[in-house]
Amino acid sequence: MATIIDGKAVAAAVKERAAAQARELEARGVTPCLAVVLVGDDPASASYVRMKERDCAEVGIESRDHRLPAETPQDELDELIDRLNADPAVDGILVQMPLPKHLDAESVIARISPEKDVDGFHPESLGRLVRGLPGFRACTPAGVMEMLHAYGIDPTGMDAVVVGRSTIVGKPMALLLLEANATVTVCHSRTRDLPAVCREADLLVAAIGRPEMIDSSYVKPGAVVIDVGINRTEKGMVGDVDFASVEPVASAISPVPGGVGPMTRAMLVANTLEAARLRADASQS
Ligand code: NDP
């Protein structure tokens, strides 16, 4: 029987810490503030934004809502980003993805000031991660690291396999595990004999976007399995891991829902608090 890694509980602890930091900052005259930009009316994006704003309210972060119509031209979105970059009261800027197709997401991400890049997607933030410098780490992989830490799972010396090489999850995940002294293999759709590579893993992270693809035939007995996947199916939300098949084999496993998802949101709050702390320190130095 595997230990079930309770992302909700770890996220609650992260948010409690954040709330205490927010109170300290308030006492120094700084109200942490996250600007949330939503373009269009995609229901899933609107619901993510609502949850993020609720998290902010819970810990004492002011959130400023910027809702733009789906047909907003690039220059108007750029102007908004510029205004938010220049606003000294705004600590973090979150542009909810995906953007409507006529907008250039890469240039929007690159336009956000790296000091306010609380999503950790900016090329400078990723460059800082590669160079081992301080900076904002992408929330999902940072959340996975926090979960492992909370459960006393030290990646040092482990053979870690990350399935998925996206810029927001797979690649930063691999780099964070490398930073934590794991020996890391990154897999993707062209990997030959994926089950065999995965079976070598002491720590397996699935960030694929394929419902329940990873079953016990991919898992070495005793491995730690982290399921990043969020897939909406007829039977509800499921991960990339077939929980029923893998749980009896793994030593620890994160469920979906209630695993990595809540951690991603908690790390956004933590990053925003960090941005606000840096602002408070800079204004008092
Ligand atoms: P992407 O679609 O950007 O990347 C998916 C990756 O999986 C790609 O690298 C792709 O390979 C690889 N892949 C796809 N099919 C296979 C296959 N059959 N075998 C091996 N590799 C495969 O997705 P994201 O990284 O954005 O997200 C991954 C999952 O995580 C999704 O379910 C998403 O919803 C979820 N997610 C969850 C979050 C959370 O908070 N829990 C946050 C962000 C994402 P290739 O590069 O070769 O195409």
Side-chain angles (χ1 to χ4, degrees), residues 243-261:
F243 187 90
S245 160
V246 171
E247 189 269 338
V249 184
S251 64
I253 182 167
S254 72
V256 177
V260 178

Side-chain angles (χ1 to χ4, degrees), residues 128-160:
R128 286 182 158 271
L129 170 59
V130 174
R131 296 192 66 92
L133 297 170
F136 292 113
R137 307 306 193 217
C139 298
T140 300
V144 172
M145 297 309 291
E146 188 73 32
M147 276 172 128
L148 295 175
H149 179 71
Y151 277 79
I153 298 165
D154 178 359
T156 299
M158 281 186 169
D159 287 328

